[in-house]
Amino acid sequence: MEAREERFLKQRQVLLLFVFLGGSLAGSGSRRYSVAEEKQRGFVIANLAKDLGLSIEELAERRAQAISKGNIQYFQLSHQTGDLLLVEKLDREELCGSTEPCVLHFQILLHNPLQFITNELEVIDVNDHAPEFFENAMQLKVLENSVPGTEIPLGNAVDLDVGRNGLQNYTVSPKSHFHVHTRRRRDGRKYPELVLERALDREEQPELSLTLTALDGGSPPRSGTTQVHILVLDINDNAPEFTQSLYEVQILEKSPTGSVITTVSASDLDTENFGAISYTFFHASEEILETFQLNSSTGNIQLLKGLDYETINTYEIDIEAKDGGGLSGKCTVIVQVLDVNDNPPELTMSSVNSLIPENSAEIVVAVFSVSDLDSGDNGRATCSIQNDLPFILKPSVETFYTIVSEGALDRESRAEYNITITVTDLGTPRLTTQHIITVQVSDINDNAPAFSQTSYTMFIRENNSPALHIGTISATDSDSGSNAHITYSLLPPQDPQLALDSFISINADNGQLFALRALDYEALQAFEFHVGATDGGSPALSSQALVRVVVLDDNDNPPFVLYPLQNTSAPCMELLPRAAEPGYLVTKVVAVDRDSGQNAWLSFQLLKATEPGLFSVWAHNGEVRTTRLLSERDVPKHKLLLLVKDNGEPPRSASVMLQVLLVDGFSQPYLPLPEVMHDPSNQDGDMLTLYLVIALASVSSLFLLSVLLFVGVRLCRRARGATLGVCSMAEGHFPGHLVDVSGAGTLSQSYHYEVCLTGDSRTDEFKFLNPVLSNLFLEESERS
């Protein structure tokens, strides 16, 4: 009943505290919660969301978590309900032993912003253990002459519970000769003392059997019993006495086993067997028996195993000295274990953010706590990280620390950091613990692609095959992942008339450029365009570069003959007076080539002639001249086959057919007849027929000759010799955009050539007149 009333009062006090502090901020002070031990896993301790003044959503957004000291987590915070739950069943005796109250410290860690809230949980004891004696039976020897009131110490019982649930008192039955007093040691343990009420008579009753009962204060109470057998001894009137009733010893932990920590000594005034003393542990615990060894003869106490200050720092040992008559004396040895720096600091990571974005400042990288099982300076520790890193170590509440980025990080400068946390205690010698955190800097798209060149020049020969690879552009991006994935593209040309998409294509992945169709140097010598490189970031960054494509000329155009025209129905007939001297200019072949450079350098060659030795052609200007004087034996009509050839590789050529008619003078009429193709085998017969016709005309009609001569001269002046043969004229439309032989440009005007013979037979030559039509475009005509 008293326990219930006390618990009710505590609960009421906690409720009143929540009422007064309900409006305060979470983290303004530590809170204490309580829970009875042996509660099952999942037991709700309290609703922390309500206590912290946070909603369930805020609790989840701030990634709240409960952190216990050490590596064992006893609690779990539910983000769905905000309740603080038990992770496992708590055993107060295992957690705190005899310490009262049993308090577990834990922190609530909140992020965004970072906040620590210190809390305490008191584990309330329940009466789950009954008192237990170390021995099921005790045997005592009592002198028969012992006077009433004599006190005999007995072995104590142990109850793992504390407070009211712990050991309270002892009782003994039957009570014919003895009753029991409950005594308390300095360490709080209660032990029984048997008190003699009336004198003993060995002859009347040599032995007594008592039942000793230990009771706790639980509800309902628990108890434990042991049997006490008392032997009534004959008189031995001197009991052993120790030189000191209390021995206090200090010893360093980690002392070597076998060391003698102290020696106890007792004396007995009796003689012989009643004066012989032996030493034994008096009701020692199992831990003491495993740790220390007592020499029964000398009283030396030795170490059996190493001492650990962090486990047990004080031992209280009761030693009994017995003589041969069964009398005994007792003393107590207090062993104080001194701490040495034998435990390195412990580092417990609570939160690690191993991936942080670049260009972000004040990012929490890690949250951790530091502890040391040693005491004093041995248990105090300092914490540090490297100085050459862009991170700051900040102390937080109690033993917690945070690592925060000092400024914006640049992944392109350094993508990974190894932070070494060094924890060193202040003991002698100093012990150190290190922990390495690897932090990776995630990339953001802060670098645009960069071309290897600001401009590219590429060369391609005309008449290329479609889809020909003409070159590659290249760009790099300092970012990583998709931010560094580059896509190439053609940018719209500045010249709207340039259909770039029909000329060039680009591989978006590797920047290779391809010519989509065959290019013609004569139509397009060079063109420029811009290419873009865009990364895959968000937002995407891009850059551009200039590409100039130069078309190289190929010898793909044969020479084109401007004069004499070769595609007219009426052949061009050149007149040659028989009186012409050697070197006389018969005519001049005019030709052009649309190619450029050496592909347009033309040379002329006489391939075939009726009289091979009569005519020659100048190789560089195409002039056809006589090489000797004419004779009466020379045939009146000559055919010349000329070849016009360029200087390309391979060279291209065009043939020119000339017809030369020998006349006695410009007064001789000549009417060109339609050209009829003759078989070369019949050439001699044709020439003979021509001679017969001329002779017949000369002999029979001298008068008609003068008349026809007069008429011919008049017609030549009027029609420029179109059909009468006195003057020969070539007229036509020539292909446009022809490349000049000199390479200076294209012929932009149509030339109308007039060729007339002068009256002076000694200075007969061609005269090339100026163009008569300046705005007439030449039509393109190609000959393969």
Side-chain angles (χ1 to χ4, degrees):
M1 182 63 70
E2 292 179 356
R4 291 183 179 177
E5 290 177 356
E6 184 179 0
R7 187 174 304 172
F8 175 77
L9 289 175
K10 288 185 178 180
Q11 292 177 351
R12 186 173 63 180
Q13 292 173 356
V14 172
L15 291 176
L16 290 175
L17 180 61
F18 286 167
V19 170
F20 286 113
L21 301 181
S24 61
L25 293 174
S28 61
S30 62
R31 297 177 183 268
R32 172 172 285 195
Y33 301 91
S34 62
V35 63
E37 67 171 333
E38 303 300 329
K39 291 295 184 182
Q40 296 299 321
R41 179 183 181 188
F43 177 79
V44 178
I45 299 173
N47 188 283
L48 285 183
K50 181 178 179 181
D51 294 343
L52 297 176
L54 300 175
S55 63
I56 301 301
E57 292 76 13
E58 291 176 331
L59 206 63
E61 288 175 358
R62 296 187 67 181
R63 294 182 290 158
Q65 63 181 113
I67 304 174
S68 302
K69 285 190 175 180
N71 296 323
I72 302 177
Q73 299 296 322
Y74 299 103
F75 316 104
Q76 179 179 0
L77 183 58
S78 173
H79 288 174
Q80 288 74 26
T81 62
D83 293 331
L84 182 65
L85 307 177
L86 279 179
V87 176
E88 61 183 28
K89 186 164 62 176
L90 300 179
D91 187 351
R92 195 207 64 78
E93 289 73 24
E94 181 179 350
L95 294 174
C96 301
S98 60
T99 303
E100 179 67 18
C102 180
V103 177
L104 299 180
H105 298 272
F106 67 98
Q107 285 78 29
I108 301 300
L109 174 61
L110 299 175
H111 296 267
N112 301 321
L114 184 66
Q115 186 177 4
F116 291 88
I117 302 172
T118 304
N119 296 276
E120 297 176 350
L121 177 67
E122 180 180 358
V123 182
I124 300 175
D125 183 52
V126 297
N127 192 21
D128 57 344
H129 294 88
E132 292 182 0
F133 287 92
F134 290 101
E135 299 175 349
N136 293 329
M138 302 180 190
Q139 188 171 2
L140 300 178
K141 295 179 181 180
V142 182
L143 291 173
E144 64 176 346
N145 61 345
S146 297
V147 297
T150 301
E151 296 180 350
I152 305 172
L154 299 177
N156 64 292
V158 175
D159 192 340
L160 297 180
D161 296 322
V162 296
R164 285 187 172 274
N165 296 326
L167 179 64
Q168 299 297 321
N169 53 35
Y170 296 88
T171 62
V172 66
S173 62
K175 298 181 179 180
S176 57
H177 290 82
F178 296 91
H179 70 272
V180 68
H181 282 171
T182 301
R183 305 293 186 186
R184 182 185 294 272
R185 297 179 185 273
R186 286 186 299 177
D187 60 358
R189 289 187 295 171
K190 295 179 179 180
Y191 65 95
E193 223 174 39
L194 202 60
V195 180
L196 181 64
E197 288 187 347
R198 63 188 181 93
L200 299 175
D201 187 357
R202 180 182 178 278
E203 285 72 23
E204 181 181 352
Q205 190 175 1
E207 293 183 1
L208 296 175
S209 180
L210 305 177
T211 299
L212 181 63
T213 303
L215 297 172
D216 64 17
S219 180
R222 293 174 177 264
S223 62
T225 61
T226 185
Q227 297 298 316
V228 180
H229 300 283
I230 300 175
L231 298 177
V232 181
L233 300 179
D234 222 356
I235 295 176
N236 180 16
D237 56 351
N238 288 290
E241 292 184 2
F242 284 92
T243 56
Q244 296 176 228
S245 60
L246 178 65
Y247 293 82
E248 292 184 349
V249 180
Q250 291 184 338
I251 183 172
L252 292 174
E253 65 173 331
K254 306 300 180 183
S255 295
T257 58
S259 301
V260 176
I261 62 174
T262 189
T263 300
V264 296
S265 175
S267 62
D268 195 322
L269 297 178
D270 295 323
T271 58
E272 296 183 353
N273 188 42
F274 291 125
I277 298 175
S278 63
Y279 301 94
T280 60
F281 289 122
F282 182 74
H283 298 299
S285 64
E286 184 178 354
E287 180 66 28
I288 292 177
L289 295 175
E290 291 178 353
T291 307
F292 302 98
Q293 181 180 14
L294 177 62
N295 189 309
S296 60
S297 301
T298 62
N300 292 337
I301 301 176
Q302 293 178 303
L303 280 178
L304 290 178
K305 67 175 185 179
L307 302 177
D308 188 1
Y309 173 86
E310 289 72 34
T311 304
I312 301 176
N313 55 23
T314 302
Y315 294 90
E316 185 175 348
I317 308 172
D318 293 329
I319 297 177
E320 181 182 52
K322 286 185 178 181
D323 60 17
L327 297 181
S328 63
K330 295 180 177 60
C331 73
T332 301
V333 178
I334 303 298
V335 179
Q336 185 71 35
V337 182
L338 301 180
D339 184 39
V340 296
N341 194 24
D342 59 341
N343 290 284
E346 294 182 359
L347 187 148
T348 304
M349 301 301 302
S350 300
S351 175
V352 177
N353 186 10
S354 59
L355 185 65
I356 59 177
E358 64 175 331
N359 297 339
S360 298
E362 296 292 328
I363 299 297
V364 177
V365 176
V367 178
F368 63 93
S369 62
V370 174
S371 61
D372 196 316
L373 296 177
D374 295 321
S375 63
D377 288 342
N378 296 333
R380 284 192 287 272
T382 61
C383 187
S384 64
I385 61 174
Q386 304 101 301
N387 294 326
D388 58 345
L389 297 181
F391 299 97
I392 302 175
L393 179 65
K394 294 182 177 181
S396 188
V397 296
E398 294 187 352
T399 59
F400 279 86
Y401 294 84
T402 59
I403 298 177
V404 183
S405 59
E406 185 175 9
L409 303 179
D410 185 12
R411 190 204 64 83
E412 288 71 37
S413 299
R414 187 169 178 180
E416 182 178 284
Y417 294 89
N418 289 324
I419 304 175
T420 301
I421 306 172
T422 302
V423 182
T424 305
D425 61 24
L426 301 180
T428 303
R430 296 193 174 189
L431 300 180
T432 299
T433 298
Q434 288 187 336
H435 184 82
I436 298 177
I437 300 174
T438 299
V439 177
Q440 307 222 347
V441 183
S442 62
D443 184 48
I444 64 173
N445 193 25
D446 57 346
N447 291 281
F451 281 95
S452 58
Q453 301 174 218
T454 57
S455 63
Y456 297 81
T457 301
M458 300 179 181
F459 298 91
I460 181 174
R461 286 201 169 273
E462 65 173 331
N463 303 321
N464 57 283
S465 59
L468 177 67
H469 176 226
I470 63 175
T472 302
I473 60 172
S474 176
T476 57
D477 197 312
S478 300
D479 296 319
S480 65
S482 61
N483 295 332
H485 179 72
I486 298 177
T487 302
Y488 300 93
S489 61
L490 298 176
L491 300 181
Q494 297 179 353
D495 184 3
Q497 297 182 354
L498 179 62
L500 184 62
D501 293 341
S502 64
F503 287 102
I504 299 296
S505 70
I506 189 170
N507 189 313
D509 295 326
N510 54 29
Q512 292 182 348
L513 292 170
F514 298 89
L516 294 179
R517 61 187 179 90
L519 300 179
D520 187 3
Y521 172 85
E522 288 72 33
L524 185 65
Q525 285 78 38
F527 58 94
E528 295 179 349
F529 57 92
H530 286 85
V531 293
T534 305
D535 60 27
S538 178
L541 301 179
S542 62
S543 60
Q544 62 181 12
L546 177 66
V547 178
R548 175 177 175 82
V549 178
V550 178
V551 182
L552 301 178
D553 183 43
D554 199 3
N555 192 26
D556 59 340
N557 291 284
F560 181 79
V561 179
L562 295 176
Y563 180 83
L565 287 178
Q566 299 298 301
N567 57 351
T568 58
S569 58
C572 181
M573 183 72 71
E574 304 292 341
L575 300 181
L576 175 63
R578 288 184 177 271
E581 295 182 355
Y584 178 84
L585 178 63
V586 179
T587 186
K588 183 175 183 179
V589 178
V590 179
V592 294
D593 195 315
R594 294 181 63 191
D595 295 320
S596 65
Q598 68 177 11
N599 293 331
W601 297 349
L602 302 181
S603 62
F604 301 87
Q605 180 181 357
L606 179 61
L607 293 180
K608 187 176 180 181
T610 304
E611 290 290 338
L614 182 58
F615 300 97
S616 66
V617 178
W618 286 23
H620 299 295
N621 57 14
E623 293 181 352
V624 179
R625 297 178 180 269
T626 59
T627 58
R628 60 177 175 83
L629 292 174
L630 298 175
S631 65
E632 293 296 334
R633 291 181 298 178
D634 291 327
V635 295
K637 185 177 181 181
H638 294 264
K639 290 185 178 181
L640 304 180
L641 180 61
L642 284 77
L643 180 68
V644 182
K645 182 173 65 173
D646 59 25
N647 198 37
E649 184 63 37
R652 289 179 172 268
S653 61
S655 60
V656 181
M657 179 64 72
L658 291 178
Q659 293 188 7
V660 180
L661 183 63
L662 302 183
V663 295
D664 293 331
F666 286 109
S667 60
Q668 180 180 355
Y670 171 69
L671 237 248
L673 300 175
E675 186 68 26
V676 180
M677 295 300 295
H678 298 288
D679 190 346
S681 62
N682 297 329
Q683 184 175 1
D684 294 339
D686 293 339
M687 295 303 296
L688 180 58
T689 301
L690 180 60
Y691 285 136
L692 291 177
V693 172
I694 294 175
L696 180 61
S698 300
V699 173
S700 62
S701 183
L702 293 174
F703 177 75
L704 290 176
L705 178 60
S706 59
V707 174
L708 291 174
L709 182 60
F710 176 78
V711 174
V713 171
R714 296 290 294 178
L715 292 176
C716 180
R717 291 177 180 177
R718 189 175 295 179
R720 294 292 181 184
T723 56
L724 297 181
V726 176
C727 292
S728 179
M729 179 180 65
E731 179 180 0
H733 299 285
F734 302 115
H737 305 290
L738 297 177
V739 180
D740 194 353
V741 177
S742 63
T746 59
L747 296 176
S748 61
Q749 296 178 345
S750 175
Y751 283 84
H752 186 168
Y753 291 93
E754 295 184 358
V755 183
C756 294
L757 296 175
T758 62
D760 188 359
S761 61
R762 297 181 63 185
T763 60
D764 295 341
E765 61 183 1
F766 288 103
K767 291 184 178 181
F768 295 91
L769 305 181
N770 292 329
V772 297
L773 294 177
S774 61
N775 59 350
L776 182 63
F777 292 106
L778 296 177
E779 297 179 355
E780 183 176 1
S781 174
E782 296 184 357
R783 297 176 61 189
S784 58

